[in-house]
Amino acid sequence: MDPFLAEKLHLVRDLTREHLASDPVAQQKMTDYLKDPEEWVLPPHVVVEDLQVAGPHGPIPVRAYRPRDTPAGAALLWAHGGGFSAGDLEMPEAHVVSAELAARAGVFVASVGYRLAQNGVRYPVPLDDVDAAWHWLTVEAMPGRRAALGGASAGAALALATALRARDRGRAADLLLLAYPFAHCPNPALDDAAAAEMATLPPFMRFPPAAIEDMVRTYVGRISDLPPDALPGAARLDGLPATHILLAEYDDLRASGELLERQLREAGVPVSTYLARGMPHGHLNRTPSLREVDASLDYFVDAMS
C-alpha cells in the first residue's frame, strides 16, 4: 500500500461502520486517517455554480464547474459514489474531482446530486435522476458539444447505465470515465494474488459478499432477478463509446472493473484501464497531494483530451 496510507492503517484497523455512527473516538480516528499531506484548494480559474434541473421525481441538484476565462469545448456529467445510499456534492469524490477535471481538461463538469437509496427510494430513481441530468447537459447546458459520462463506484454504475439508455435513445455519450466501478452482483472473486494482498487490510476497508448484497438490496430491494441496468455488468454492452476504467489496487471491487473491461472488449467497445498502485477503493475521496490520486485524475484528463 502507498506508504503514507500504510502508516495510518493502525487508526482504522479495528473500526466498524457501527463505531463511526456513534463513537466520537472512532470518528476522530477516521478524521485523522483521512488527512492528506496537503489541504486541497479550489483552482482559482474554475467557476462553481449550484443549480437545479428538472427530473421525473422532482428537482435534481447539480453543481456546475467551468473554466473562468476560456469557453469549455466539451462537457462531463459526473456521479459520486457511496453504495447508492450515501454521498453528496460536498464529498471530495464529487467536489474535488469535478473541480480538478474542469481545471485540468478545460471542460464543463456537472456533478449530479442524485436521490439516494434511502427512506423508500430505490431503483430506478437514482438512475432516473442521472439520466435527467444527462438530458439537461446535452440538450440545454452544452448542446452540440462533445459530452462524456463518468462516475465513481456506485456512481460509475449509474453513469454506465445512463450511457446504455443514451445509446438506445440515439444521443450516445462520446466517452465513459469509470472509477473503480461497482457493476456486478455477485461481485467477481479476486485472483489469488490480489486476494492475498487484500487480506492485510482492516475489515472496514473490505467489501465481503454480505456487504455487496446489502448494498444491492438497499438499491434494488432484492438480490435476484436484477434489472440489467441496475448493476449494468449484466446488460448488453455493445455500441457504447470508448470507456476508460480506473482501478484501485487494494479494492475488492477491482474484480468488477476487470471483468467489465473483458466484457467491453468482447462486445467490441474500445476500452483502457489504469491501475492506481497502492490505493484502496474510493481513493478519489483523497486529494491530489497523493501521487496516485493526481495520476488517476490525469488519466481521466488524458481521456478527455
Side-chain angles (χ1 to χ4, degrees):
M1 179 163 280
D2 177 272
F4 179 82
L5 299 182
E7 289 185 1
K8 291 187 163 198
L9 280 185
H10 69 278
L11 293 168
V12 295
R13 180 68 61 186
D14 299 317
L15 289 191
T16 66
R17 287 171 174 78
E18 290 75 18
H19 287 144
L20 287 173
S22 58
D23 183 353
V25 174
Q27 293 164 1
Q28 184 59 52
K29 286 183 177 181
M30 178 55 70
T31 297
D32 293 342
Y33 172 71
L34 292 175
K35 286 182 180 176
D36 282 342
E38 298 176 15
E39 288 192 16
W40 179 80
V41 178
L42 179 72
H45 52 289
V46 172
V47 178
V48 183
E49 183 181 10
D50 285 320
L51 307 168
Q52 284 194 334
V53 304
H57 309 287
I60 305 160
V62 169
R63 183 169 291 173
Y65 301 76
R66 69 182 79 221
R68 183 182 299 276
D69 299 319
T70 57
L76 166 67
L77 185 71
W78 181 259
H80 65 77
F84 301 106
S85 63
D88 56 36
L89 296 180
E90 301 295 339
M91 65 192 292
E93 200 175 68
H95 184 52
V96 174
V97 169
S98 297
E100 288 288 337
L101 293 181
R104 297 179 187 211
V107 300
F108 178 94
V109 181
S111 178
V112 54
Y114 57 88
R115 286 167 177 79
L116 302 176
Q118 300 175 354
N119 303 317
V121 172
R122 284 182 174 159
Y123 167 91
V125 173
L127 174 56
D128 288 346
D129 281 353
V130 177
D131 189 35
W134 172 249
H135 178 81
W136 166 81
L137 180 69
T138 55
V139 174
E140 299 181 33
M142 297 286 283
R145 307 293 179 88
R146 184 169 180 257
L149 270 161
S153 194
L158 294 171
L160 177 55
T162 300
L164 295 172
R165 288 186 176 185
R167 173 200 65 187
D168 297 340
R169 271 199 309 260
R171 173 51 176 106
D174 296 301
L175 191 70
L176 272 172
L177 308 177
L178 307 178
Y180 34 85
F182 176 22
H184 301 89
C185 181
N187 187 48
L190 293 166
D191 64 37
D192 290 345
E197 286 186 321
M198 290 297 296
T200 65
L201 288 191
F204 175 81
M205 300 173 70
R206 301 296 307 273
F207 290 94
I212 296 292
E213 292 180 8
D214 284 347
M215 286 189 287
V216 175
R217 282 195 183 95
T218 298
Y219 178 40
V220 184
R222 60 187 186 275
I223 58 171
S224 62
D225 188 29
L226 296 174
D229 61 352
L231 276 298
R236 182 175 64 83
L237 300 174
D238 60 286
L240 287 172
T243 301
H244 301 268
I245 303 174
L246 169 64
L247 304 170
E249 183 177 12
Y250 285 85
D251 180 9
D252 287 297
L253 292 180
R254 172 180 165 185
S256 181
E258 291 171 338
L259 175 56
L260 181 62
E261 177 196 11
R262 298 193 298 273
Q263 291 175 307
L264 290 167
R265 288 193 188 282
E266 184 179 84
V269 176
V271 59
S272 76
T273 61
Y274 176 78
L275 179 63
R277 295 286 182 184
M279 289 290 108
H281 183 83
H283 67 279
L284 292 184
N285 272 308
R286 309 202 72 113
T287 69
S289 61
L290 288 176
R291 182 185 62 185
E292 280 295 337
V293 175
D294 188 57
S296 295
L297 293 168
D298 278 344
Y299 170 64
F300 283 158
V301 169
D302 290 343
M304 291 285 292
S305 300

